[in-house]
Amino acid sequence: MSATATDEQSTYLELSEDSGSAHKFYEVRVSGVEVTVTYGRIGEGGQVRTTSYPSPEKAASAAAKKIGEKVRKGYAPAVRGVRQRREVTRRAIVSSRSTARQAPVLWRFRSGAAAFGIFVGEEHAWVGNESGDVYTLTHDGEVTGRFGLPDGVKCIVADDWWIYAGCDDGKVYDLGGKVPRVAYEIAEDVDIYWLDIHDGVLGVADARGGITTVDHEDEFQWRRKAEGTDGWMVRCDSDGVYHGHSRGVARYAARGGAPVWHTATDGAVLFGWQERDEVFAGTSRGSVHRLRKADGSEAARYRCDAPVFSCAASPDGRYVFAGDNHSSVYCFAADGTRLWKLGTGCGSAYSMQYRDGRLYLVTTDGSLVCLDASEAAVRAAEEGRLPQAAEVDGSGWTAAVAGAAIESVTVGSAGAAGGIEVECVQDGTRLRVRVVSPGYDPLRRVQFPKDIRVPGARYLVAEVLESGSGSFYRARGDIKRLL
């Protein structure tokens, strides 16, 4: 350790593998009785944890122990700033203009950067772009909110009431409150390609063909390596995790990760969708495979004229949609018959979702586009008759930034403040969160933003809801620190 003018001692370590993917730092600062640990990916701010000890000697001893553990794992002293942040993986795409007739666009919102993330729920459509902006809009195209995340958004997923955004910084943010909070943090050696979530268990597909699951308390569950690489597809349900990569689609058991089946595809998988009994995989050779979840057998195959970047289906399976890298969108009947092909007019669809007769796209130029996918509208578009597309204005919205300070309040009880009280409890090496308000099982854990957990602290949240499995609670809404 090196002493500073203020008697603060600091040790900075890094672990970076030229042939691997580890690229992270670990810094320990000792100031009196306090030890502050900062860790994360090299070139980023990282996570900060401060712990107080009974005496300066005990603080120094604890710091030395932490440093020793990291050195034994391969970390070495380094100078901050010499190594730079590694570039994140982005899909390399050359999107050309479609030669098909223009699709019937109802409205278009320009988010400001290329966009992967989309989710369309009962009330809102969500779009997240590579600049870290997430916007919410009504189904009629009115902007209702904006979040600011620290890195590019890979995808947006929903799990019952909860909305999560997976980002290039390796974190998954909960967007259920006024400001985004870190809900999951993926291991430093995982280059995230795609995410999905079911009942609090997160599935992560990565660059090297790995599939990893993490539970609601950000604890590793299991990890498997696929036969291929470039995992652009992961979909989760109560029974399985469905993983698409360069050599096909595989199913793993949701609990334990045992392999169930593997089906080869016509080309590398670039996108995946799921319905109750089937999964859909779009490939680099212009195919969409419709596979039965039970055994991986192919129910149908849909042929496009170029590589498929995105696909979706109607809930009844009657229609299957696909978007290619020539800015075209397709619709097929369940049996594989192509019903129509139209141009987006605003780039290729990175992601898509169908809901209530409309097809929502996010594109290479950063647009969130709402298409009228009804038979009458499509027929009119094929004849050259188009609706007047509305250009949605999103200017004037200030982003709610991730990591903003929570409000501190003094209250006599949780009930008096109109919320539910939870407490952070140290459980071995883990920091658990449990409900302390009457009427809840105190032994059950709570999913809670990890970046604001403080040992012994109590917080007030708007709601605590049970998960579908009944194994834990989930905190929802605004968060206040109780004083």
Side-chain angles (χ1 to χ4, degrees):
M1 294 187 184
S2 59
T4 69
T6 59
D7 293 329
E8 180 180 85
Q9 295 178 316
S10 175
T11 300
Y12 179 80
L13 307 170
E14 288 184 348
L15 174 61
S16 183
E17 301 170 349
D18 293 335
S19 60
S21 59
H23 195 61
K24 48 193 176 181
F25 75 91
Y26 191 86
E27 184 177 37
V28 179
R29 292 181 180 273
V30 182
S31 180
V33 298
E34 289 189 340
V35 175
T36 299
V37 174
T38 307
Y39 62 94
R41 287 183 171 90
I42 294 173
E44 298 180 2
Q47 298 289 304
V48 181
R49 297 287 184 270
T50 298
T51 306
S52 296
Y53 293 88
S55 67
E57 292 75 17
K58 289 187 179 295
S61 175
K65 182 178 179 182
K66 293 177 185 294
I67 294 166
E69 290 173 349
K70 290 300 177 182
V71 169
R72 285 191 291 274
K73 290 181 179 181
Y75 283 77
V79 177
R80 183 188 290 273
V82 174
R83 289 192 179 98
Q84 300 298 309
R85 175 182 177 179
R86 285 180 178 170
E87 292 296 321
V88 298
T89 303
R90 301 199 190 278
R91 184 178 293 175
I93 288 179
V94 176
S95 176
S96 58
R97 187 174 181 83
S98 176
T99 57
R101 284 187 176 271
Q102 173 64 44
V105 174
L106 296 176
W107 54 263
R108 171 180 172 176
F109 170 66
R110 301 173 191 264
S111 74
F116 277 111
I118 183 176
F119 176 74
V120 184
E122 292 184 6
E123 298 181 358
H124 293 98
W126 301 68
V127 57
N129 65 29
E130 289 186 348
S131 295
D133 284 318
V134 177
Y135 292 88
T136 61
L137 298 91
T138 66
H139 293 168
D140 292 327
E142 179 184 354
V143 178
T144 58
R146 179 185 177 188
F147 297 94
L149 301 180
D151 214 331
V153 177
K154 270 289 198 296
C155 56
I156 300 175
V157 294
D159 193 18
D160 293 330
W161 293 94
W162 293 267
I163 301 289
Y164 300 96
C167 291
D168 286 328
D169 64 358
K171 299 180 178 64
V172 180
Y173 294 85
D174 180 354
L175 304 181
K178 289 183 179 180
V179 298
R181 301 291 184 189
V182 176
Y184 299 84
E185 187 170 1
I186 312 305
E188 288 91 342
D189 63 344
V190 176
D191 185 359
I192 300 171
Y193 267 21
W194 207 255
L195 303 167
D196 197 19
I197 189 168
H198 178 79
D199 202 17
V201 177
L202 186 74
V204 184
D206 63 42
R208 293 183 292 178
I211 182 74
T212 304
T213 62
V214 183
D215 75 1
H216 63 280
E217 285 209 312
D218 199 22
E219 292 184 344
F220 171 84
Q221 293 294 289
W222 54 263
R223 186 174 185 181
R224 298 287 180 270
K225 175 66 174 69
E227 296 179 11
T229 60
D230 302 322
W232 285 112
M233 169 189 172
V234 59
R235 296 293 176 180
C236 306
D237 63 18
S238 58
D239 298 317
V241 176
Y242 308 87
H243 182 215
H245 47 80
S246 62
R247 299 188 62 184
V249 179
R251 174 183 168 180
Y252 299 91
R255 292 184 178 274
V260 179
W261 52 255
H262 177 271
T263 300
T265 53
D266 178 23
V269 176
L270 301 180
F271 194 85
W273 183 259
Q274 73 167 333
E275 293 296 334
R276 187 185 67 178
D277 299 319
E278 298 167 318
V279 290
F280 301 79
T283 76
S284 60
R285 293 184 181 175
S287 293
V288 178
H289 295 260
R290 184 172 188 160
L291 307 177
R292 297 179 180 90
K293 287 183 174 180
D295 57 10
S297 60
E298 187 172 271
R301 188 180 301 190
Y302 310 93
R303 289 294 305 170
C304 300
D305 301 325
V308 176
F309 287 161
S310 57
C311 58
S314 59
D316 57 7
R318 180 181 177 186
Y319 299 114
V320 176
F321 302 91
D324 70 15
N325 72 340
H326 284 61
S327 304
S328 296
V329 178
Y330 303 77
C331 178
F332 300 90
D335 64 0
T337 302
R338 184 189 293 186
L339 300 179
W340 49 263
K341 173 186 176 182
L342 296 168
T344 69
C346 55
S348 299
Y350 272 143
S351 303
M352 62 171 57
Q353 187 175 339
Y354 174 86
R355 188 180 182 94
D356 297 333
R358 295 181 173 185
L359 188 63
Y360 298 81
L361 316 172
V362 288
T363 68
T364 49
D365 77 352
S367 294
L368 171 61
V369 182
C370 177
L371 306 183
D372 187 344
S374 66
E375 294 181 11
V378 169
R379 187 162 52 250
E382 290 175 329
E383 296 172 355
R385 294 180 288 111
L386 296 170
Q388 182 63 44
E391 289 288 340
V392 179
D393 182 12
S395 62
W397 282 91
T398 300
V401 180
I406 64 172
E407 179 184 354
S408 295
V409 294
T410 303
V411 295
S413 66
I420 297 166
E421 193 172 337
V422 300
E423 181 179 28
C424 292
V425 180
Q426 196 73 42
D427 182 6
T429 61
R430 306 294 298 184
L431 188 59
R432 311 293 188 186
V433 179
R434 307 195 190 279
V435 180
V436 295
S437 292
Y440 294 89
D441 183 348
L443 298 180
R444 292 174 62 184
R445 301 169 184 172
V446 181
Q447 185 181 33
F448 194 76
K450 64 172 294 178
D451 57 341
I452 58 174
R453 297 181 186 182
V454 176
R458 290 197 175 193
Y459 300 89
L460 214 58
V461 295
E463 294 180 87
V464 172
L465 304 175
E466 292 192 29
S467 74
S469 67
S471 61
F472 67 100
Y473 297 125
R474 283 172 152 185
R476 217 177 146 244
D478 297 333
I479 302 168
K480 299 179 180 180
R481 173 82 177 268
L482 300 182
L483 299 179

